[in-house]
Amino acid sequence: MPAPSALKRITDTTWELPVSYKPGMLVPARIFATEKLITAMDAGVFDQVSNVACLPGIQKYAFCMPDGHWGYGFPIGGLAAMDPETGVISPGGIGFDINCGMRLVLTNLTEEEVKPRLRELVDALFYRVPAGVGSHGFVSLSHDEFCTVAEQGSRWCLKRGFAWPEDLEMTEEGGCFPGADASKISHKAIDRGYNQIGTLGSGNHYLEIQVARPENIYNEELARAFGITIPNQVVIMFHCGSRGFGHQVATDYLQLFLSVMERKYGITVNDRELACAPFRSREGQDYFAAMKCAVNMAFANRQVILHRIREVFSDNFGRDPADLGMEMVYDVAHNTAKLETHMVDGRRRELLIHRKGATRAFGPGMEGLPERYRETGQPVIIGGSMETGSYLLAGEPGGSETFFTTAHGSGRTMSRHQAKKMVRGQKLQRDMEERGIYVRTASWGGLAEESGRAYKDIDDVAEATERAHLSRRVVRLLPIGNVKG
DNA sequence: ATGTCC
């Protein structure tokens, strides 16, 4: 799809749509991509990112990351910073899967040690980390206790023995966004979520056993600082979010915002999917407090999943998880809105940052990073498709341009429908096994949809973020085992 | 993404 002719190239990897591109734009739109990626980007991205540039209170630019593609209202890969006093909060700028995110866990095992047990490990993970639409977890909670989880996130997990203290430190915001208020959650959302803690979900959610080969290390020093110290070291990466709970929170508040946006607040938007409310309004604050519940539920979900991964490896190897070196590298959130302080035109300002399919990537020395990563910058985890590999990167000072935000994954090039027509799940499983990747899936159709052929080249995305100085490559990770939702 | 429509 050709890019609009109004698109101007600002640098090697920065592209801009000026405010003249569309009536109502308050700021220009900026897209970070290589020439190859911008050429392949779907036209919906340009339309959507310029719609976002019209939202009240937006600061500097409406952004799209190199993995950007068409989404609900905002593009996936979208980033918008609003003035909290004059700006809006928009569920479409966060996504239905609130705090969908990635977690990376180390082991001190090598590929040679894991290979003979790979099938057993993946089969055990497939059993112990429930995957698929409508799956429910092993943790049984009352509605009341679920509300505590939603308010406390990983802190609840620590109390219940599902976390090591250092896990919280290696999670964005310590695994708990403060200000979550379960009284702002509908009964329906609680009912959908209370039995979903410790479940992977479906779609592009997965759990993967990966290898860090010496030839795939881009930066030795950062790799060492992030715990990649052994040749062919095995790591575990997984991707999941707030399940039906977050989905219901988003649905509830989109409905509410649509009913008040124009009538009560006189806000008009280019697309109903950009439904929003003033951040300082009652509705805006209620959504903010409810969204944080879904953020915290997702942190707790990933934490319980980590606990179960540790159990699987511990049982299989007959050794304590600590003895297997199963420490977290980091946990990153993809779909959030947060108040953060950033420099804007030489002034420190508090901004409401919407990240939708985009990763926070704090540079070296920034407040909010754990001590271990103060010198290195934040670990950034970018998931590729299950066939092609993923990246561990590091935040860098150049990220200031995007309020320290980078890409989150490959981004689709093919619709799910299209992929299912071209790929058969059973055949893909056999093909992958021949290439040394053992995969188990909850749904053959779901597996076909996630074929590597349906995604952008992760190498292009990682390279684009580095060339744009949003994050630097540390190590490329290759899959050997995968549990697919 | 999602008890893929209450």
Side-chain angles (χ1 to χ4, degrees):
Chain A
M1 199 72 82
S5 56
L7 190 73
K8 279 190 303 194
R9 191 174 200 160
I10 307 290
T11 71
D12 175 42
T13 48
T14 311
W15 307 75
E16 182 171 305
L17 288 169
V19 290
S20 57
Y21 176 64
K22 180 182 282 184
M25 281 175 72
L26 302 171
V27 294
R30 283 201 165 183
I31 300 155
F32 294 92
T34 56
E35 186 144 14
K36 181 179 173 190
L37 286 169
I38 202 95
T39 308
M41 215 162 255
D42 52 298
V45 168
F46 305 108
D47 191 37
Q48 292 191 318
V49 75
S50 53
N51 284 340
V52 172
C54 303
L55 290 176
I58 188 161
Q59 302 296 302
K60 299 301 285 183
Y61 302 99
F63 288 106
C64 186
M65 297 297 126
D67 51 340
H69 55 113
W70 181 88
Y72 184 92
F74 280 55
I76 293 159
L79 162 70
M82 307 308 189
D83 181 319
E85 303 311 321
T86 62
V88 294
I89 186 165
S90 175
I94 293 152
F96 276 89
D97 190 6
I98 297 166
N99 190 9
C100 151
M102 311 276 323
R103 190 171 281 219
L104 183 64
V105 187
L106 299 169
T107 74
N108 55 22
L109 300 162
T110 63
E111 183 179 10
E112 293 70 23
E113 289 169 299
V114 168
K115 260 282 158 75
R117 301 159 177 265
L118 185 64
R119 291 182 77 96
E120 275 172 43
L121 283 165
V122 172
D123 288 344
L125 289 167
F126 183 69
Y127 173 71
R128 293 183 64 89
V129 182
V133 181
S135 56
H136 51 83
F138 289 79
V139 185
S140 80
L141 297 176
S142 66
H143 283 201
D144 276 356
E145 190 155 19
F146 178 74
C147 288
T148 308
V149 177
E151 291 183 348
Q152 299 181 356
S154 298
R155 282 168 35 211
W156 175 87
C157 298
L158 186 61
K159 283 188 293 191
R160 284 288 300 260
F162 295 126
W164 299 350
E166 54 270 39
D167 294 340
L168 275 61
E169 209 190 325
M170 296 306 145
T171 306
E172 199 173 307
E173 301 299 315
C176 178
F177 277 26
D181 180 355
S183 75
K184 306 301 181 189
I185 296 293
S186 69
H187 184 269
K188 193 172 175 182
I190 294 166
D191 206 42
R192 282 182 73 172
Y194 81 100
N195 64 358
Q196 294 187 317
I197 294 289
T199 64
L200 201 55
S202 65
N204 66 359
H205 290 163
Y206 63 86
L207 191 171
E208 204 159 78
I209 300 177
Q210 304 173 337
V211 179
R213 299 245 168 89
E215 64 268 28
N216 291 330
I217 291 179
Y218 285 81
N219 186 316
E220 291 268 0
E221 199 182 327
L222 286 173
R224 242 190 335 271
F226 290 170
I228 307 291
T229 55
I230 315 168
N232 300 325
Q233 188 170 341
V234 167
V235 298
I236 301 136
M237 182 182 283
F238 59 99
H239 178 222
C240 65
S242 51
R243 308 283 285 101
F245 178 62
H247 190 273
Q248 192 60 46
V249 171
T251 305
D252 289 341
Y253 279 91
L254 275 165
Q255 250 172 33
L256 174 67
F257 283 11
L258 275 171
S259 73
V260 297
M261 175 172 65
E262 242 183 291
R263 216 187 48 212
K264 189 167 170 189
Y265 296 111
I267 299 169
T268 53
V269 289
N270 287 340
D271 179 353
R272 277 171 58 87
E273 294 183 357
L274 292 172
C276 58
F279 180 61
R280 291 297 181 206
S281 68
R282 186 177 64 78
E283 292 84 355
Q285 287 297 301
D286 285 356
Y287 169 62
F288 196 44
M291 181 213 66
K292 288 172 175 177
C293 287
V295 165
N296 293 342
M297 186 276 191
F299 281 139
N301 189 25
R302 292 199 284 277
Q303 186 59 53
V304 169
I305 289 174
L306 169 56
H307 176 76
R308 296 188 71 84
I309 294 170
R310 283 175 174 152
E311 285 181 343
V312 165
F313 274 73
S314 175
D315 288 352
N316 193 288
F317 285 89
R319 286 162 65 188
D320 194 77
D323 191 40
L324 293 169
M326 297 187 75
E327 291 170 23
M328 271 179 69
V329 177
Y330 210 61
D331 178 298
V332 297
H334 291 160
N335 292 0
T336 63
K338 259 166 80 184
L339 286 169
E340 289 177 4
T341 303
H342 291 281
M343 295 299 287
V344 183
D345 303 324
R347 215 155 55 86
R348 272 172 71 87
R349 284 184 56 195
E350 189 176 58
L351 298 169
L352 178 68
I353 310 280
H354 293 74
R355 293 191 179 94
K356 196 247 190 96
T359 309
R360 191 193 76 175
F362 279 179
M366 285 182 70
E367 223 173 292
L369 285 181
E371 202 53 46
R372 191 196 290 183
Y373 302 134
R374 276 292 167 95
E375 307 276 307
T376 59
Q378 182 200 303
V380 170
I381 306 155
I382 296 190
S385 77
M386 61 190 175
E387 292 183 76
T388 48
S390 301
Y391 278 85
L392 176 61
L393 307 89
E396 62 162 315
S400 61
E401 202 180 344
T402 56
F403 309 107
F404 295 95
T405 304
T406 191
H408 84 306
S410 301
R412 297 193 77 86
T413 56
M414 206 186 278
S415 71
R416 294 187 175 279
H417 182 73
Q418 209 179 340
K420 243 193 308 212
K421 277 200 301 194
M422 286 183 62
V423 182
R424 295 214 58 83
Q426 288 94 328
K427 183 173 187 312
L428 179 59
Q429 186 199 38
R430 286 194 300 271
D431 291 351
M432 284 175 67
E433 199 163 350
E434 270 171 38
R435 281 179 279 137
I437 309 168
Y438 177 60
V439 55
R440 288 289 307 267
T441 180
S443 145
W444 291 116
L447 184 71
E449 289 175 4
E450 294 301 314
S451 160
R453 291 161 69 186
Y455 280 90
K456 286 179 191 172
D457 189 336
I458 190 67
D459 297 319
D460 291 345
V461 172
E463 186 199 335
T465 72
E466 187 168 288
R467 273 165 61 182
H469 305 291
L470 304 181
S471 47
R472 67 173 67 175
R473 290 173 287 191
V474 176
V475 56
R476 188 186 199 282
L477 300 163
L478 290 174
I480 55 170
N482 183 298
V483 174
K484 177 64 213 61

